[in-house]
Amino acid sequence: MAEKTSFDTDVVTLTRFVLEEGRKAKGTGELTQLLNAICTAVKAISSAVRKAGLAQLYGIAGSTNVTGDQVKKLDVLSNDLVINMLKASFSTCVLVSEENKNAIVVEKERMGKYIVCFDPLDGSSNIDCLVSIGTIFAIYRKTSDGEPSEKDALQPGRNIVAAGYAVYGSATMLVLATECGVNCFMLDPAIGEFLLVDKDVKIKKKGNIYSLNEGYAKYFDPTVKEFLHKKKFPEDGSAPYASRYIGSMVADVHRTLVYGGVFLYPANEKTPKGKLRLLYECNPMAFVIEKAGGMATTGDQAVLDVIPDNIHQRLPIVLGSPDDVQEYIAVYKKHHSK
């Protein structure tokens, strides 16, 4: 009689998963190298986040980034880690980071064919109070001829090859979206590997949670006000939606993916063009949600269809369960068709 054991002897690590998918696609292995580099950076950032207090990494670094946010010490460390790991993968040519004003063109001797747009530490304003934070990334292929430049990063989200995010919370999880779907990997600190824990994740068709910063209610436009009223006071007699808002996009979107519902960061009077950045926040999250069967919209078009005009472009975004997002689009059209 075989002895039962709780130790899996045939675990699927992120590296194994990517290698197997690459073999099926008859790839060159360059994307595998790139994703392994992102994995290494995420592990290092996870370790730094866990011991930030002991290593005196809390607090402000004394500057603001190009989008006007105060830069924290962990921001700087995370940005350097991701940039160095991506360059060392020999698979990238252009890097776009929230923390850098201009795109980084990789040195010729280390150049590859992929473009990576990333937010090295999303939600970093929450670092000092121990709220979940994360890393967001999107990977594109270089499509132009000639030398790589910042313009190569100005591609619509439909061109994304792979995208995802890491959440540094009660555990460290990496969510990866590719053409084959969305898969979740949990970091096992005992062996230092990301293990597959949720395969082919799908979002609920309709949820019962809405997520946005209602502190800006004074500045909301009629679309958002009406949509929220419908969620709080349903006309069909159903239970009202619960409100959940963390203030860290990675954490709020991950909860939306797991439980269903809708996440909103719409435009308002103070930020008429939206607040979140298209290339390294909106596009990667929209790609993940769409691959999980959800939707992501600006109100008048799908987020992934927007053609960027600069690397730090901002955008309004509503994403989540398809029925909830469709309801928002219907309200948006009602108010914008006049």
Side-chain angles (χ1 to χ4, degrees):
M1 188 173 178
E3 189 179 334
K4 290 185 177 178
T5 176
S6 60
F7 200 96
D8 190 349
T9 57
D10 191 28
V11 294
V12 178
T13 65
L14 179 55
T15 303
R16 172 179 167 181
F17 177 85
V18 173
L19 280 169
E20 288 175 354
E21 292 302 319
R23 178 65 64 91
K24 289 178 195 172
K26 296 183 170 62
T28 62
E30 206 168 327
L31 182 60
T32 303
Q33 290 171 223
L34 174 48
L35 289 169
N36 277 339
I38 290 173
C39 257
T40 304
V42 166
K43 289 176 192 175
I45 294 168
S46 177
S47 174
V49 167
R50 298 271 176 258
K51 59 188 180 188
L54 298 173
Q56 298 183 327
L57 289 170
Y58 287 146
I60 297 167
S63 60
T64 56
N65 64 19
V66 291
T67 55
D69 300 325
Q70 283 190 323
V71 176
K72 301 295 184 89
K73 293 173 186 175
L74 267 174
D75 277 323
V76 177
L77 174 73
S78 302
N79 193 47
D80 289 346
L81 275 168
V82 176
I83 290 171
N84 290 333
M85 291 301 156
L86 290 177
K87 283 184 175 183
S89 72
F90 293 87
S91 57
T92 62
C93 56
V94 178
L95 308 177
V96 173
S97 168
E98 181 195 15
E99 304 299 333
N100 294 80
K101 182 178 180 180
N102 300 312
I104 299 165
V105 177
V106 178
E107 303 88 341
K108 279 191 177 181
E109 61 270 18
R110 298 206 277 182
M111 199 173 278
K113 65 183 178 185
Y114 290 105
I115 296 154
V116 185
C117 303
F118 60 93
D119 183 347
L121 205 61
D122 177 73
S124 56
S125 61
N126 292 311
I127 289 171
D128 296 357
C129 62
L130 305 182
V131 168
S132 294
I133 50 183
T135 299
I136 313 173
F137 63 91
I139 301 169
Y140 302 80
R141 283 189 188 88
K142 183 176 181 292
T143 56
S144 66
D145 296 323
E147 292 298 310
S149 70
E150 187 167 289
K151 288 183 180 178
D152 288 308
L154 300 178
Q155 299 185 40
R158 294 288 173 208
N159 291 0
I160 289 175
V161 176
Y165 58 86
V167 188
Y168 312 113
S170 55
T172 297
M173 174 170 277
L174 197 151
V175 177
L176 177 65
T178 61
E179 282 304 316
C180 66
V182 179
N183 296 277
C184 300
F185 303 82
M186 191 84 76
L187 180 61
D188 182 345
I191 60 173
E193 290 285 356
F194 280 99
L195 307 182
L196 180 63
V197 290
D198 290 303
K199 192 169 185 178
D200 196 21
V201 175
K202 296 297 179 188
I203 194 171
K204 290 179 181 176
K205 194 167 183 289
K206 184 178 175 67
N208 58 6
I209 298 171
Y210 73 87
S211 177
L212 89 161
N213 186 350
E214 291 194 76
Y216 291 121
K218 175 183 176 181
Y219 308 108
F220 287 163
D221 70 15
T223 298
V224 178
K225 289 177 181 176
E226 182 177 337
F227 179 74
L228 288 180
H229 186 82
K230 285 175 176 286
K231 294 305 178 188
K232 294 176 180 179
F233 306 97
E235 295 170 359
D236 60 3
S238 60
Y241 274 43
S243 173
R244 299 285 185 273
Y245 185 72
I246 299 166
S248 167
M249 188 191 190
V250 166
D252 282 312
V253 171
H254 186 65
R255 185 199 54 251
T256 303
L257 175 66
V258 174
Y259 295 147
V262 60
F263 167 83
L264 309 92
Y265 212 120
N268 59 48
E269 287 178 20
K270 290 189 76 175
T271 54
K273 293 184 177 179
K275 174 80 183 294
L276 299 178
R277 278 60 62 115
L278 173 59
L279 287 187
Y280 41 81
E281 290 175 327
C282 298
N283 269 346
M285 293 308 200
F287 187 82
V288 170
I289 292 295
E290 281 206 10
K291 290 303 174 187
M295 294 179 68
T297 183
T298 64
D300 59 1
Q301 72 179 126
V303 169
L304 296 180
D305 290 333
V306 176
I307 299 173
D309 55 38
N310 72 80
I311 62 171
H312 297 295
Q313 180 177 342
R314 297 179 188 269
L315 201 75
I317 186 169
V318 175
L319 58 78
S321 297
D323 285 5
D324 293 315
V325 177
Q326 286 281 19
E327 186 179 351
Y328 177 85
I329 292 171
V331 176
Y332 182 93
K333 286 181 176 177
K334 170 186 165 185
H335 286 279
H336 289 80
S337 60
K338 297 170 184 176

